[in-house]
Amino acid sequence: MDLIKSTDAASYLRALRQMMDEMGPHAALQPSMKRLLEILAETFGYKRAFLAIFDTETGTLKIGLTYSQPKVTQATYTPGQGIIGQVFQTGRPIVIPRMKDHAEFLNKAFGRSQEELASLAFISVPVLLPVRSGERETLGTLSVDIPTQSQEVLDSHCQFLEVVAGLVATQVARLQEEMALQRHLIAQGLMMHHTGEVNITAPDIVATSKSMRLVLQQVAQVAPSRATVLLRGESGTGKELLAEAIHAGSPRKDRPLIKLNCAALPSELIESELFGHEKGAFTGAVAIKKGLFELGHKGSLFLDEIGELSLEAQAKVLRAIQEKEIQRLGSEQTLSVDVRLITATHQPLEELLTEGRFREDLYYRINVFPIFIPSLRERREDILPIAEHFLGSFAQEYAKKIKRISTPAIDLLVQYHWPGNVRELRNCMERAVLICDEEVIRSYHLPPTLQTAESSATDSSLSFGESVAKFEQEILVDALKKAKGNMLQAARDLRVSYRIVNYKVKKYRIDPKKFTGSLRRRRGPA
């Protein structure tokens, strides 16, 4: 029976809806695109689905993301080579009703058997990105292996894949940029070929998400230079830690890193702090004082919240950057300084420019290498690793034998929106460690801001028995997860009989089987 007959319009709409969900604004790029290929294959019975992306530097098409059984090996094509190369070169789709009937079909890279060549069709469509009115740029191809069908059915699938290729064009453009960035970093020795590790000294920075790994790659790229860096992001995202990492990766690492929060001092004292003053320069100036620019000579100076500087102070900072000269308050003597400037702000400097509160010349001088740091809610895959990092640190500091975080507590951490970002998460874990008197951080150890009445079992409508039952369920689920669904092991861990665990599992309608692969799923594919 033709595939199209068993796949109604609702299936197409459902698949499109799923794919749109995967491409949400906060979705990690490569995992979401792999999931998109998986949705295509599982919904429509494709044997294989893969994206070939054009490498602008080498001038070749590379198989970037795949979904297939068995796995597709890496392959490259030049424009015009093979079916994929022809689709890229012409910008038009190609449908092969039966692979074995096409003499030019390249199958070595995919390990297709003769049986597959006889039973599978092949569809490849271009990924086109609109660049200007009436013009589109070809970024790559989207291709699938599909059981042989009538020409009408194959044409229908081809049209659908063209729609999908249009939807993912922007994401493919981002993947193309990532490929170029990674190649550039590898060429400069800033990134390992196989592990993707970045050569910077940042032991307190925990980053597993793609967005933060890119931030660290940018840090590694700019650290060896003397370029001025502007760190941008919400308060609490770790700008000071990144400034330390930049300094540690620079040739100035053996010299001091001087830090100043420009919002921490009144405007009348900022200039004295930055540039120093002579004795008698103003009331209370009873001795000569060196400024931070002098103290940071041959080192680095980190100015946090630079948007808070007065216009007068901004002018002097600009001179220090451009001319490498400063004057202490109350002195006419010019001092030469050599300081690498790292700045940070959570404010929209562009708005301050239009309001006349920030100098345009200073903006362009400090914006040489901007690094945008995503908020914690935009990189939720980092929440648990960071929480576990703080747990280990505070457990050691306060001499607590806390080993892990319970599943319900993890759920609360991941679901919370974290307006205070990493700083708030750090404070949250310190509080939890302080009040925890067992080996596991549970949901009731977390601050009230993270907890709903339902999650903390404090809803006033719950009876005492219902609250106890919720607590029992939490402990039981946590034990089953730790034991990978083994009820006997869970009973041993809880120091109760197997009969009690079995009774509670049935009472609360818990399915132990769903925990058998939980640890494997959390780690992700090898």
Side-chain angles (χ1 to χ4, degrees):
M1 182 176 66
D2 284 348
L3 184 62
I4 194 71
K5 293 179 181 178
S6 62
T7 309
D8 56 14
S11 298
Y12 286 97
L13 292 174
R14 183 168 58 253
L16 286 173
R17 189 178 297 112
Q18 286 180 285
M19 287 185 279
M20 293 297 289
D21 290 341
E22 289 296 329
M23 295 188 297
H26 305 312
L29 186 56
Q30 289 204 28
S32 67
M33 293 297 287
K34 287 183 178 179
R35 174 60 183 150
L36 182 143
L37 296 178
E38 182 181 349
I39 291 170
L40 276 177
E42 293 181 350
T43 303
F44 302 110
Y46 299 150
K47 179 73 173 179
R48 299 176 181 87
F50 48 93
L51 273 168
I53 303 172
F54 184 65
D55 188 329
T56 54
E57 184 163 316
T58 62
T60 59
L61 283 157
K62 295 183 179 180
I63 301 299
L65 297 174
T66 64
Y67 175 82
S68 75
Q69 297 295 333
K71 186 177 180 181
V72 173
T73 56
Q74 291 297 312
T76 59
Y77 302 87
T78 57
Q81 179 189 20
I83 305 302
I84 290 176
Q86 292 174 35
V87 170
F88 176 81
Q89 188 175 53
T90 63
R92 294 192 296 269
I94 292 180
V95 178
I96 307 298
R98 192 185 307 272
M99 293 186 193
K100 76 168 188 176
D101 298 334
H102 200 284
E104 297 182 7
F105 203 83
L106 301 178
N107 66 312
K108 292 181 180 180
F110 299 92
R112 300 182 181 94
S113 65
Q114 291 300 315
E115 181 181 354
E116 285 183 317
L117 292 177
S119 63
L120 293 177
F122 183 77
I123 302 174
S124 183
V125 300
V127 178
L128 303 172
L129 180 71
V131 290
R132 59 181 64 89
S133 179
E135 294 185 24
R136 293 186 294 177
E137 177 186 359
T138 307
L139 303 177
T141 63
L142 171 63
S143 308
V144 299
D145 290 6
I146 177 176
T148 53
Q149 311 287 324
S150 68
Q151 188 65 49
E152 181 183 0
V153 172
L154 294 176
D155 288 342
S156 297
H157 280 280
C158 181
Q159 292 173 18
F160 176 72
L161 289 171
E162 286 184 281
V163 173
V164 174
L167 288 175
V168 304
T170 302
Q171 281 73 17
V172 174
R174 291 171 57 198
L175 285 171
Q176 193 179 55
E177 289 289 332
E178 284 190 7
M179 287 170 53
L181 174 62
Q182 290 177 7
R183 183 180 55 251
H184 178 65
L185 293 175
I186 289 172
Q188 294 192 7
L190 298 172
M191 179 175 162
M192 302 299 291
H193 285 260
H194 301 295
T195 63
E197 294 179 1
V198 182
N199 296 332
I200 61 172
T201 304
D204 292 326
I205 299 178
V206 179
T208 59
S209 66
K210 188 68 177 180
S211 57
M212 274 305 293
R213 285 171 61 83
L214 286 174
V215 166
L216 293 184
Q217 288 170 8
Q218 290 177 303
V219 167
Q221 188 175 17
V222 75
S225 72
R226 61 165 290 114
T228 302
V229 181
L230 175 59
L231 301 173
R232 305 192 65 165
E234 295 180 8
S235 180
T237 49
K239 295 188 285 292
E240 185 173 333
L241 283 178
L242 289 177
E244 292 173 355
I246 292 170
H247 177 73
S250 74
R252 301 167 181 257
K253 61 183 178 181
D254 295 327
R255 304 293 295 179
L257 169 64
I258 308 297
K259 306 173 187 177
L260 175 67
N261 188 328
C262 300
L265 292 175
S267 57
E268 58 269 17
L269 295 181
I270 284 287
E271 291 186 46
S272 172
E273 194 71 21
L274 287 173
F275 309 109
H277 60 252
E278 295 289 335
K279 181 179 179 181
F282 52 84
T283 303
V286 295
I288 295 175
K289 177 184 177 179
K290 291 185 177 181
L292 297 184
F293 271 94
E294 282 186 78
L295 296 175
H297 184 60
K298 297 295 184 180
S300 302
L301 175 60
F302 174 54
L303 298 183
D304 198 2
E305 299 302 343
I306 193 169
E308 299 291 339
L309 283 178
S310 66
L311 290 173
E312 187 176 355
Q314 290 176 32
K316 294 184 178 181
V317 169
L318 178 63
R319 182 190 177 193
I321 299 173
Q322 291 186 161
E323 308 298 333
K324 298 183 181 179
E325 294 178 348
I326 64 166
Q327 283 182 308
R328 294 176 186 162
L329 296 182
S331 172
E332 296 181 357
Q333 181 183 2
T334 298
L335 301 174
S336 297
V337 291
D338 177 13
V339 173
R340 199 267 181 87
L341 191 64
I342 305 170
T343 63
T345 183
H346 76 281
Q347 298 187 69
L349 293 183
E350 294 76 12
E351 292 183 12
L352 298 184
L353 281 175
T354 59
E355 295 170 2
R357 296 165 52 197
F358 202 85
R359 292 178 61 99
E360 187 174 3
D361 46 6
L362 179 60
Y363 170 77
Y364 290 117
R365 194 62 187 82
I366 66 174
N367 200 37
V368 174
F369 198 99
I371 298 178
F372 293 83
I373 309 168
S375 62
L376 192 55
R377 62 183 171 277
E378 294 174 314
R379 49 185 179 104
R380 293 190 179 276
E381 55 266 55
D382 285 336
I383 293 175
L384 182 55
I386 294 174
E388 291 175 337
H389 169 77
F390 288 139
L391 171 61
S393 175
F394 289 124
Q396 182 178 7
E397 180 179 348
Y398 296 118
K400 295 287 190 81
K401 296 182 179 180
I402 304 173
K403 298 180 179 178
R404 57 193 176 87
I405 306 171
S406 73
T407 300
I410 290 173
D411 292 339
L412 287 181
L413 291 171
V414 173
Q415 292 167 10
Y416 185 58
H417 61 288
W418 297 109
N421 292 294
V422 179
R423 183 183 293 118
E424 183 181 7
L425 177 55
R426 182 184 187 277
N427 295 339
C428 167
M429 293 309 300
E430 182 173 16
R431 175 190 186 276
V433 169
L434 283 171
I435 66 176
C436 181
D437 56 359
E438 48 185 311
E439 293 186 348
V440 181
I441 297 290
R442 303 198 182 276
S443 58
Y444 50 81
H445 294 134
L446 301 178
T449 50
L450 271 69
Q451 303 183 43
T452 62
E454 181 181 357
S455 66
S456 58
T458 57
D459 192 333
S460 59
S461 64
L462 294 178
S463 66
F464 176 75
E466 288 171 330
S467 298
V468 171
K470 280 185 174 288
F471 180 65
E472 276 189 340
Q473 289 180 58
E474 177 179 333
I475 293 177
L476 188 55
V477 166
D478 200 35
L480 286 169
K481 183 175 181 181
K482 179 183 176 183
K484 300 182 181 180
N486 187 323
M487 291 198 294
L488 186 59
Q489 183 60 47
R492 292 194 191 103
D493 293 341
L494 294 173
R495 300 177 188 175
V496 296
S497 68
Y498 174 83
R499 183 180 60 82
I500 290 177
V501 170
N502 187 46
Y503 168 74
K504 297 291 185 182
V505 163
K506 291 179 179 179
K507 176 183 177 182
Y508 298 126
R509 297 180 181 179
I510 300 171
D511 181 10
K513 292 181 181 178
K514 72 178 183 180
F515 302 109
T516 56
S518 59
L519 293 181
R520 178 182 61 82
R521 285 194 300 271
R522 224 179 93 188
R523 293 191 189 102

